[in-house]
């Protein structure tokens, strides 16, 4: 059985066990709500923690939430611009350059199984910090928090903070914007801090890191596998993926040519093979630039730390941008609604619908074009 099917089977068994435990042990008495492929745990201690956190460093939270309004507005504008500009790049690739594929992150379906540990850690941190920031600013602005806790739906894990809607409507516009904006601004700050940490802990690229090899391909037959690194080919230093592509073109490598690879496992001799388009290949399926760690960490620990930080940066910045799109149920839609409610008065519902339709259309068309163009 392939690993993906084992994973799905284990996931089904996990949810069956959780559901049966919730049903027969009556876990709802302990604040745990269990449904098929879903559970939610409400914690009174966590709600009280948010209360205490909002009372400490009052000036910091107030300043941070004020700056967050500016960040949130910038993220909203950038998000809409990015989607519109990316669509133009799909339509006119020659004039404006290539487009970035917009594909939903779905475990096992759109991302490989070996990425899941990093993905789960990243999504959990991004969602927890996002929701807890909402909760702290809600209490700071005297908005009651009805409940707080953790939840899991299918494979997605995170936290939640449920504020009182009547209390939210009673506070000032600035208080509303502070509470709504702080989640995405926290994700943005997290992504920037993680990026700085990556730049400090890891040196510029100096090789090619292997994620996956082709079955029975040249590098696999030579004994190379996941997380191995290629440093040079025929005494030519290969620091980046671009260097490898340039080497294959510059030296006119053809199928059947012998190559010597300098790797972390020593020198390996291989013969190139025919690719699906007749081009010479060495048998790498998925790979990227390798960045060595600048501090003395064990080899595999350094790689896994790099992957964890990379995914945390990627997920945090993605959540920050897409969560501020004026599209239900994202915070951006609520941010825009609060901002325009007094300006457009009785027409605010129509304005919300227009922005929802525009944003949904931009995302949907970008996704369709991504699957058509990149598969």
């Amino acid at each position: 059985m392939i690993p993906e099917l084992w994973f799905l089977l284990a996931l089904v068994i996990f949810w069956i066990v959780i559901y049966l435990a919730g049903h027969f042990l009556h876990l709802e008495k302990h604040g745990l709500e269990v449904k098929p492929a879903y559970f939610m745990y409400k914690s009174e201690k966590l709600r009280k923690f948010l209360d205490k956190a909002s009372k400490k460093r009052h000036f910091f939270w107030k300043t941070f939430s004020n700056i967050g309004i500016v960040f949130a507005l910038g993220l909203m504008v950038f998000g809409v611009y990015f989607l519109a500009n990316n669509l133009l790049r799909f339509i006119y690739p020659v004039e404006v350059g290539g487009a970035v594929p917009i594909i939903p992150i779905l475990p096992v379906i759109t991302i490989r199984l070996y990425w899941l540990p990093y993905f789960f850690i990243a999504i959990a941190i991004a969602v927890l910090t996002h929701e807890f920031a909402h909760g702290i600013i809600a209490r700071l602005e005297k908005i009651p928090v009805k409940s707080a806790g953790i939840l899991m739906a299918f494979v997605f894990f995170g936290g939640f903070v449920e504020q009182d809607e009547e209390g939210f409507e009673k506070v000032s516009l600035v208080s509303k914007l502070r509470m709504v904006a702080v989640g995405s601004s926290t994700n943005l700050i997290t992504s920037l801090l993680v990026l700085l940490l990556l730049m400090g802990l890891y040196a510029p690229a100096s090789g090619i890191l292997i994620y996956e090899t082709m079955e029975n391909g040249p590098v696999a037959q030579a004994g190379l596998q996941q997380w191995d690194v290629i440093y040079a080919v025929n005494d030519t230093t290969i620091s980046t993926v671009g260097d490898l592509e340039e080497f294959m073109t510059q030296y006119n490598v053809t199928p059947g040519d012998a190559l010597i690879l300098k790797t972390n496992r020593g020198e390996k001799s291989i013969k190139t093979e025919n690719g699906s388009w007749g081009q010479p290949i060495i048998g790498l399926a998925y790979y990227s630039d390798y960045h060595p760690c600048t501090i003395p960490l064990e080899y595999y620990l350094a790689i896994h730390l790099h992957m964890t930080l990379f995914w945390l940066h990627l997920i945090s910045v993605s959540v920050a941008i897409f969560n501020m799109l004026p599209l239900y149920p994202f915070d951006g839609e609520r941010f825009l609604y609060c901002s325009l409610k007094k300006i457009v008065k009785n027409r605010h519902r129509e304005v919300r619908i227009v922005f929802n339709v525009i944003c949904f259309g931009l995302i949907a068309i970008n996704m369709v074009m991504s699957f058509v163009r990149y598969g």
Side-chain angles (χ1 to χ4, degrees), residues 29 56 65 98 102 107 111 116 122 127 140 158 179 193 199-200 208 212 233-234 252 268 291-292 324 336:
K29 296 179 181 178
K56 297 179 180 179
S65 58
I102 306 297
I111 62 174
L116 291 187
V127 174
L140 185 71
M179 200 283 290
L193 290 176
M199 295 170 64
I208 294 178
E212 189 176 337
V233 179
N234 288 359
N252 195 28
K268 301 290 183 178
H291 296 268
M324 282 312 300
L336 188 66

Side-chain angles (χ1 to χ4, degrees), residues 91-360:
I91 299 172
Y92 305 107
V94 177
E95 289 83 354
V96 295
V100 177
I102 306 297
I103 299 173
I105 298 178
L106 301 173
V108 182
I109 299 175
T110 60
I111 62 174
R112 298 278 172 170
L113 193 60
Y114 47 79
W115 294 130
L116 291 187
Y118 315 111
F119 170 77
F120 288 146
I121 293 172
I123 199 70
I125 294 175
V127 174
L128 287 171
T129 53
H130 181 103
E131 291 297 327
F132 291 169
H134 278 315
I136 291 173
I137 301 304
R139 295 305 301 127
L140 185 71
E141 299 298 333
K142 309 303 180 185
I143 302 172
V145 171
K146 297 169 65 175
S147 63
I150 61 174
L151 57 82
M152 184 175 181
F154 189 51
V155 295
F156 297 98
F157 175 84
F160 70 92
V161 173
E162 180 187 11
Q163 78 270 6
D164 182 75
E165 290 300 324
E166 291 184 5
F168 178 80
E169 292 298 332
K170 291 178 182 178
V171 299
S172 67
L173 173 60
V174 174
S175 294
K176 290 187 178 79
L177 295 181
R178 285 173 181 153
M179 200 283 290
V180 174
V182 73
S184 285
S185 58
T186 298
N187 291 134
L188 178 63
I189 294 299
T190 300
S191 70
L192 293 175
L193 290 176
V194 172
L195 180 60
L196 290 175
L197 189 59
L198 278 168
M199 295 170 64
L201 287 178
Y202 293 89
S206 62
I208 294 178
L209 180 63
I210 300 173
Y211 298 149
E212 189 176 337
T213 62
M214 296 179 181
E215 188 175 358
N216 295 321
V219 294
Q221 292 180 13
L224 296 180
Q225 54 192 359
Q226 189 180 53
W227 311 130
D228 284 338
V229 179
I230 298 174
Y231 297 108
V233 179
N234 288 359
D235 292 328
T236 298
T237 300
I238 303 296
S239 297
T240 66
V241 172
D243 290 345
L244 177 62
E245 296 171 351
E246 183 179 346
F247 173 88
M248 301 291 280
T249 303
Q250 182 178 349
Y251 290 93
N252 195 28
V253 178
T254 58
D257 285 353
L259 300 177
I260 297 177
L261 309 181
K262 181 181 178 182
T263 75
N264 61 307
R265 294 179 181 271
E267 290 190 350
K268 301 290 183 178
S269 298
I270 66 168
K271 281 190 176 183
T272 59
E273 293 182 351
N274 257 316
S276 56
W277 299 97
Q279 80 280 17
I281 60 172
I282 63 174
L284 296 178
Y286 296 97
Y287 49 96
S288 73
D289 295 348
Y290 168 66
H291 296 268
C293 190
T294 58
I295 60 176
L297 285 182
E298 192 271 333
Y299 176 74
Y300 289 108
L301 176 61
I303 287 178
H304 295 314
L305 177 61
H306 184 274
M307 291 300 154
T308 302
L309 292 174
F310 170 79
W311 273 90
L312 179 56
H313 166 69
L314 176 65
I315 295 297
S316 294
V317 73
S318 298
V319 170
I321 295 172
F322 281 90
N323 185 66
M324 282 312 300
L325 289 174
L327 175 67
Y328 182 83
F330 298 153
D331 288 336
E333 199 261 359
R334 201 173 193 186
F335 185 93
L336 188 66
Y337 165 70
C338 294
S339 303
L340 298 179
K341 187 176 181 180
K342 290 186 177 180
I343 299 175
V344 298
K345 296 182 179 179
N346 296 331
R347 308 293 294 181
H348 61 85
R349 185 173 180 275
E350 289 80 358
V351 171
R352 294 175 78 178
I353 292 174
V354 169
F355 276 101
N356 271 269
V357 170
I358 292 173
C359 282
F360 180 80

